[in-house]
Amino acid sequence: MSEAKGMNLTLKVWRQKNASDKGKMVTYQVSDISPDMSFLEMFDVLNEDLLQKGEDPITFDHDCREGICGMCSMYINGKPHGPLDGTTTCQLHMRNFKDGDTIYVEPWRAKAFPVLKDLSVDRTSFDRIIQAGGFISINTGNAPDANEIPIPKDIADEAFNAATCIGCGACVAACKNASAMLFTAAKVSQLSMLPQGKAEKKKRVEAMVAQMDEEGFGACTNTGACSAECPKEISLEHIARMNRDYLNAKLTSDNV
Amino acid sequence: MKLDAKIPEGDLSEKWSKHKFNVKLVNPANKRKYEVIVVGTGLAGASAAASLAELGYNVKAFCFQDSPRRAHSIAAQGGINASKNYQNDGDSVYRLFYDTIKGGDYRSREANVHRLAEVSGNIIDQCVAQGVPFARDYGGLLDNRSFGGAQVSRTFYARGQTGQQLLLGAYSALSRQVAAGKVKLYTRTEMMDVVIIDGKAQGIITRDLVTGKIESHSAHAVILASGGYGNVFFLSTNAMGSNASAAWRAHKKGALFANPCFTQIHPTCIPVHGTYQSKLTLMSESLRNDGRVWVPKKAGDKRKPNDIPENERDYYLERKYPSFGNLVPRDVASRNAKYVCDEGRGVGETGLAVYLDFSDAIKRDGEDTISAKYGNLFEMYEKITGENPYKVPMKIYPAVHYTMGGLWVDYNLMTSVPGLYALGEANFSDHGANRLGASALMQGLADGYFVVPYTIGDYLSQMPYEKVSNDHAEFQKAETEVRERLNKLLSVNGKKTVDQFHKELGLIIWDYCGMSRTAEGLKEAKEKVQKLREEYWTNLKTIGTQDELNITLEKAYRVADFMELGELMIDDALNRNESCGGHFREEYQTEEGEAKRDDENYSYVAAWEYKGENMQEELHKEELNFENVQLTQRSYK
């Protein structure tokens, strides 16, 4: 419907054959891009074009295209998930760009997120941080009635805000130190606020922070870039809460 | 083949308790001697893998995404049903059972559905204990809302992202078992085939999507929790990677496929806007609690919605169904949207949309209240369409959302292949011809947390501890076949891309086997699909090799399977000479245009058996016996 307003754009895209390839920026032209298209649909169009020309399409991660699975990434014009606040790449639409724009697209850059191919990176380090302690130890079948423990609404809501993290890694990509503090803190904070999670509060924060360090994520210097670029706008307060929990755990830990 | 659903004897409400007592158990000390493969890590897969590992079984879990947390369950918005009766509004296990049977238009098994209702409360308990932050009221207790097809408030929710919170709960339980060494996780790994030895499923063949490496994994049992087949339509609310290949491979190895024509078209999705469109986005049907659906009374009315006066609007759902109004079940809401658009009363540039209007709700409750309930959905809508739903009514249109059909399973959730189980959307079991809102999450978690952990013991207890070696000749053979199939796809050397084929397939299925179907149209569609399939293998354009990360190849083998499955959907729709739930055959409707069932002749599960390449599949019937509910014409008037 908006075809008449089609845009012509220059794309500079990171191409890298595999993990051991050095990689480089490659320039592509796309034309007649509808403003109603999503950013990834624009990539679909480019990929169809490349395939027709017998060139290898650009590998990029994506799945739900609804902004919730956390699979899409892309560092667009120097910002993770592009220019729009609170928006994943898949929810970014071309109406946010202008005809004639040049757009730079790179993968997440972090030691703990090695590039697999083109714009696709390995984020299994995040899974290992969760495995270290991002859970409440309860086996299936052990649960008491769900309404047995009332949880004040403000606490439930704040826990929910932390729990909305989609694990995309934009926080790491945005951070000059490639720190995973916001990701780790969101889970620590969610579980330590809830009564169900209190029993393992100390152990959890120690284990998750240790794993985060082991994966090679950088240190946090509180610049706040992570929260500013987070597509789910997870608050820095969670980092503060995690720091408090961590210090408390270390000072009162039984694991001497 | 004789289909035995293995439904336990006895009163409906005692079947599950008795069955749990009667199934054979594996001694706690012996569970560690068994290994189970779980394919898929969505709600059903993750919950099953975690629960089995907690019991002591060794589990290998596979997903094609880069993390188990990405599975498409994550995108479910609205909520999860449970018959807790926390609202004191008369809910009960029996009412949830009854609503689900009725909502499914009497094409599901009583015993399965009753079990689902029985365990629904346990699911909520389990999730809360895991730290799932459900919505709460100011007293700190859990909040509920009502959903389509029900007159009680039994839906638990976490803002508009309940699926995300439930999946992250199951993912955390799974992660805990990975850390404990009981689950070995394989991400970016796709199941390519199931291996059957001595008539039993004893392993799978996988492809590492990064390196292309083909591998054999043997086990004592295989669980498929690989989701539905909505992406046959190309455009659906499924994720881009959602595919039916695991289920279809199992089908070709002997697992019957049940009711493939039962697909759900969700009434509230953002309308299509262009040919480049890659997927459709759902707007949770919880919006229908406060939004009013309408179109102009006059065909071709091009005025802006806010310029159309009240008396020139047709709130057609409220008019036709005064007692359920905007909360009629999904199939009814979708079909009615199609009717008004067919009459030329559709809105928006394409005329393929209806309004979902919140202005009355905002006037009544205030913008803050509406924002607290639906804020993130409104934002999402605005991001995609560029329109603000607080000011202008949303435009919505039906889209493919869920598939009720799937691998046939018995009461134990075992397919017709011994040792091969199917859970969640991958099976056909609980939703009949139409799924009620907030019931998919319930079923996925019921299957994984509370059903298969009990029923799988019955099978495993009869298996030797020693599993087959993955050097077994059958594994070698299957690996070779997989490599050959991939090579075949890579060597067609044609001109049309996978996406082009996929879009064509999707359009055929949407036009002829979508919201309404006719015998004539279906026959035409079958020919079209056969022709397209033929062209696929002679004119497909691919690139690269199978020994690398190759996104074109991944799509190519998934679409090859969609083509075959699409044809079976058509066969099934053609066979079922009645209308029920999501399957609407124009020849079979009441005078008022409602679905007209034929209980005498079609009160059965249609389970199809694969007979070989290009052979007509064989139909097996599992008669449905209704001993507890009276079959009636569904009415939501």
Side-chain angles (χ1 to χ4, degrees):
Chain A
M1 44 182 111
S2 314
E3 254 72 28
K5 295 181 275 176
M7 294 182 276
N8 297 321
L9 304 163
T10 303
L11 299 177
K12 305 223 177 229
V13 183
W14 183 259
R15 300 302 308 259
Q16 181 176 338
K17 260 192 106 45
N18 51 46
S20 49
D21 181 31
K22 237 176 80 189
K24 59 172 192 258
M25 297 299 280
V26 177
T27 306
Y28 300 98
Q29 305 293 336
V30 288
S31 54
D32 201 24
I33 296 298
S34 156
D36 289 334
M37 243 182 227
S38 73
F39 198 81
L40 297 185
E41 283 168 348
M42 187 261 296
F43 261 74
D44 292 341
V45 170
L46 171 61
N47 271 348
E48 281 289 281
D49 197 41
L50 289 175
L51 184 56
Q52 285 292 5
K53 286 195 282 198
E55 290 176 42
D56 193 21
I58 301 159
T59 298
F60 59 91
D61 280 325
H62 65 111
D63 202 25
C64 77
R65 297 205 179 186
E66 296 181 21
I68 195 77
C69 77
M71 186 114 177
C72 68
S73 45
M74 293 197 188
Y75 201 72
I76 302 164
N77 286 344
K79 287 184 133 196
H81 293 299
L84 228 55
D85 284 348
T87 305
T88 57
T89 298
C90 66
Q91 296 286 76
L92 175 65
H93 282 69
M94 297 313 292
R95 64 181 79 95
N96 297 294
F97 296 89
K98 289 190 312 290
D99 187 34
D101 276 358
T102 297
I103 306 172
Y104 291 80
V105 188
E106 293 172 82
W108 284 175
R109 304 279 189 195
K111 193 173 118 199
F113 289 163
V115 172
L116 296 171
K117 184 175 177 181
D118 299 335
L119 302 170
S120 174
V121 300
D122 180 350
R123 285 170 288 195
T124 48
S125 46
F126 268 13
D127 283 333
R128 288 187 293 271
I129 292 175
I130 298 294
Q131 286 155 17
F135 47 77
I136 288 170
S137 296
I138 173 145
N139 283 357
T140 305
N142 275 344
D145 185 85
N147 257 350
E148 197 151 290
I149 311 164
I151 302 175
K153 187 167 165 39
D154 51 342
I155 291 181
D157 286 351
E158 189 54 13
F160 178 88
N161 288 338
T164 56
C165 168
I166 57 174
C168 64
C171 47
V172 175
C175 177
K176 63 189 166 85
N177 302 328
S179 167
M181 281 290 271
L182 191 63
F183 168 78
T184 310
K187 188 48 72 180
V188 166
S189 178
Q190 175 204 343
L191 297 180
S192 79
M193 267 186 287
L194 295 170
Q196 307 93 302
K198 296 244 190 270
E200 296 167 281
K201 190 172 166 178
K202 290 185 194 172
K203 199 172 140 215
R204 177 184 307 117
V205 69
E206 287 186 277
M208 288 179 74
V209 169
Q211 188 64 37
M212 179 181 84
D213 291 341
E214 196 182 313
E215 294 292 343
F217 290 104
C220 174
T221 47
N222 262 314
T223 64
C226 50
S227 179
E229 297 298 340
C230 172
K232 297 297 150 185
E233 302 178 315
I234 306 267
S235 159
L236 274 185
E237 281 173 31
H238 298 296
I239 294 185
R241 193 173 286 114
M242 178 166 85
N243 282 333
R244 212 155 51 222
D245 282 0
Y246 186 74
L247 190 64
N248 180 48
K250 282 293 176 198
L251 288 176
T252 62
S253 175
D254 300 325
N255 315 323
V256 269
Chain B
M1 186 183 295
K2 175 92 182 69
L3 282 182
D4 180 4
K6 302 210 173 104
I7 296 166
E9 297 295 318
D11 280 354
L12 182 65
S13 60
E14 288 169 11
K15 283 179 195 285
W16 179 229
S17 309
K18 281 192 179 155
H19 189 66
K20 280 192 285 186
F21 178 73
N22 287 332
V23 291
K24 293 187 195 74
L25 298 175
V26 178
N27 174 306
N30 287 337
K31 289 197 174 85
R32 71 175 73 96
K33 295 173 185 164
Y34 291 109
E35 186 160 310
V36 180
I37 281 172
V38 180
V39 179
T41 58
L43 287 180
S47 60
S51 302
L52 291 171
E54 287 162 7
L55 286 171
Y57 296 112
N58 299 306
V59 177
K60 281 183 173 180
F62 297 83
C63 65
F64 71 81
Q65 299 92 341
D66 75 335
S67 164
R69 64 183 293 156
R70 315 277 189 223
H72 198 52
S73 305
I74 200 127
Q77 296 170 356
I80 176 166
N81 288 329
S83 58
K84 282 283 198 185
N85 194 32
Y86 283 161
Q87 304 306 322
N88 196 32
D89 57 358
D91 201 7
S92 63
V93 167
Y94 192 82
R95 186 176 293 281
L96 175 53
F97 154 77
Y98 179 80
D99 286 350
T100 308
I101 288 274
K102 178 186 172 198
D105 219 354
Y106 307 97
R107 289 295 174 262
S108 46
R109 274 189 208 135
E110 281 191 341
N112 283 57
V113 175
H114 197 273
R115 174 176 66 190
L116 178 65
E118 280 176 66
V119 303
S120 64
N122 301 108
I123 297 171
I124 303 303
D125 299 340
Q126 184 62 31
C127 295
V128 166
Q130 289 169 343
V132 169
F134 282 118
R136 288 174 185 268
D137 57 29
Y138 285 96
L141 301 178
L142 292 159
D143 193 20
N144 293 112
R145 57 187 173 201
S146 60
F147 239 69
Q151 286 178 312
V152 292
S153 289
R154 63 160 73 99
T155 304
F156 294 79
Y157 65 101
R159 238 169 269 170
Q161 46 210 94
T162 316
Q164 178 197 28
Q165 296 308 318
L166 295 178
L167 182 61
L168 293 182
Y171 163 73
S172 74
L174 174 67
S175 297
R176 176 171 160 245
Q177 294 305 314
V178 173
K182 293 303 290 180
V183 175
K184 188 153 169 33
L185 192 59
Y186 295 82
T187 57
R188 292 193 194 264
T189 305
E190 183 143 6
M191 182 194 120
M192 304 302 291
D193 214 345
V194 53
V195 177
I196 293 167
I197 298 169
D198 301 332
K200 299 188 183 89
Q202 309 219 38
I204 62 170
I205 308 293
T206 59
R207 178 168 183 268
D208 181 321
L209 296 180
V210 178
T211 62
K213 190 172 176 220
I214 304 291
E215 256 187 312
S216 292
H217 300 269
S218 68
H220 293 90
V222 175
I223 294 175
L224 300 184
S226 48
Y229 49 92
N231 269 349
V232 167
F233 290 84
F234 184 75
L235 282 182
S236 80
T237 65
N238 285 5
M240 300 303 286
S242 301
N243 69 83
S245 287
W248 193 250
R249 291 290 129 202
H251 175 57
K252 291 180 92 166
K253 285 285 172 83
L256 302 191
F257 207 102
N259 299 337
C261 81
F262 288 168
T263 51
Q264 180 166 80
I265 316 276
H266 194 289
T268 51
C269 299
I270 298 179
V272 178
H273 53 76
T275 51
Y276 49 79
Q277 185 143 358
S278 58
K279 74 154 278 160
L280 294 169
T281 303
L282 176 104
M283 291 279 106
S284 167
E285 84 175 316
S286 61
L287 293 169
R288 288 197 277 143
N289 271 309
D290 288 295
R292 299 179 69 195
V293 177
W294 65 275
V295 289
K297 281 187 177 162
K298 233 177 25 221
D301 191 338
K302 288 284 162 205
R303 284 176 292 176
K304 289 197 177 119
N306 294 340
D307 294 342
I308 299 178
E310 199 60 28
N311 61 3
E312 292 179 43
R313 300 175 176 192
D314 180 12
Y315 296 89
Y316 57 90
L317 289 177
E318 297 171 21
R319 173 172 58 79
K320 288 173 76 173
Y321 308 96
S323 71
F324 277 71
N326 293 297
L327 288 176
V328 291
R330 292 174 171 178
D331 55 331
V332 179
S334 294
R335 222 158 27 242
N336 278 284
K338 180 183 187 306
Y339 292 155
V340 294
C341 292
D342 288 350
E343 289 163 19
R345 298 197 285 148
V347 300
E349 286 188 45
T350 57
L352 290 176
V354 299
Y355 291 125
L356 181 63
D357 196 336
F358 292 88
S359 52
D360 287 340
I362 291 170
K363 253 181 255 157
R364 184 184 66 225
D365 300 337
E367 200 168 307
D368 289 349
T369 307
I370 295 302
S371 159
K373 279 190 188 166
Y374 312 113
N376 65 323
L377 297 171
F378 278 33
E379 266 172 49
M380 179 149 115
Y381 181 85
E382 187 169 359
K383 261 175 208 162
I384 295 171
T385 62
E387 287 182 346
N388 177 356
Y390 291 102
K391 308 276 175 234
V392 195
M394 279 185 181
K395 285 197 276 286
I396 53 162
Y397 198 65
V400 176
H401 175 57
Y402 185 88
T403 50
M404 282 74 69
L407 292 171
W408 182 89
V409 288
D410 63 16
Y411 189 72
N412 294 320
L413 303 182
M414 183 146 67
T415 67
S416 52
V417 174
L420 182 65
Y421 291 77
L423 317 187
E425 194 179 349
N427 74 28
F428 87 104
S429 72
D430 296 353
H431 307 295
N434 175 55
R435 178 174 66 73
L436 290 181
S439 283
L441 304 186
M442 171 173 67
Q443 185 225 335
L445 291 180
D447 287 359
Y449 283 134
F450 296 110
V451 180
V452 88
Y454 295 92
T455 59
I456 204 168
D458 195 46
Y459 175 79
L460 290 175
S461 62
Q462 300 164 59
M463 291 289 283
Y465 298 136
E466 186 83 24
K467 61 173 187 171
V468 293
S469 156
N470 58 3
D471 301 334
H472 190 285
E474 283 297 321
F475 279 101
Q476 304 291 332
K477 196 175 128 213
E479 277 196 24
T480 310
E481 280 168 10
V482 167
R483 282 197 196 90
E484 280 170 2
R485 194 165 78 239
L486 296 176
N487 272 338
K488 200 173 153 196
L489 285 161
L490 286 170
S491 56
V492 177
N493 231 339
K495 290 196 167 56
K496 251 161 83 171
T497 64
V498 187
D499 282 1
Q500 286 174 314
F501 278 107
H502 196 177
K503 283 179 188 181
E504 277 184 50
L505 172 72
L507 265 183
I508 298 171
I509 305 287
W510 176 252
D511 286 345
Y512 298 97
C513 197
M515 264 188 287
S516 84
R517 303 145 179 197
T518 64
E520 205 184 334
L522 289 163
K523 283 178 198 150
E524 206 179 315
K526 187 170 161 93
E527 270 174 44
K528 285 179 185 228
V529 172
Q530 282 174 340
K531 245 173 130 175
L532 192 68
R533 242 179 79 195
E534 234 169 79
E535 191 195 344
Y536 194 73
W537 292 100
T538 53
N539 195 26
L540 176 69
K541 188 171 183 69
T542 48
I543 193 164
T545 69
Q546 58 167 295
D547 304 315
E548 61 183 333
L549 203 171
N550 188 337
I551 52 172
T552 310
L553 179 62
E554 286 166 30
K555 283 195 278 193
Y557 59 69
R558 291 170 190 167
V559 171
D561 291 337
F562 283 144
M563 295 244 183
E564 297 179 16
L565 176 49
E567 202 179 321
L568 187 63
M569 288 163 68
I570 294 170
D571 282 341
D572 189 45
L574 197 53
N575 169 70
R576 193 167 279 279
N577 292 314
E578 64 162 350
S579 293
C580 56
H583 169 65
F584 191 78
R585 282 277 302 272
E586 286 176 23
E587 304 95 316
Y588 309 101
Q589 52 182 307
T590 64
E591 277 172 19
E592 293 156 314
E594 304 294 336
K596 195 170 160 192
R597 289 196 324 268
D598 178 353
D599 293 329
E600 203 167 315
N601 295 304
Y602 290 94
S603 182
Y604 63 75
V605 176
W608 297 87
E609 183 185 0
Y610 182 76
K611 303 299 275 185
E613 267 338 294
N614 297 316
M615 304 272 283
Q616 181 65 40
E617 299 217 358
E618 186 184 340
L619 174 65
H620 301 270
K621 297 176 184 176
E622 180 204 328
E623 291 299 332
L624 291 167
N625 300 312
F626 294 93
E627 290 161 359
N628 299 274
V629 296
Q630 182 97 37
L631 271 63
T632 54
Q633 184 69 41
R634 270 192 327 169
S635 171
Y636 293 94
K637 297 254 172 217

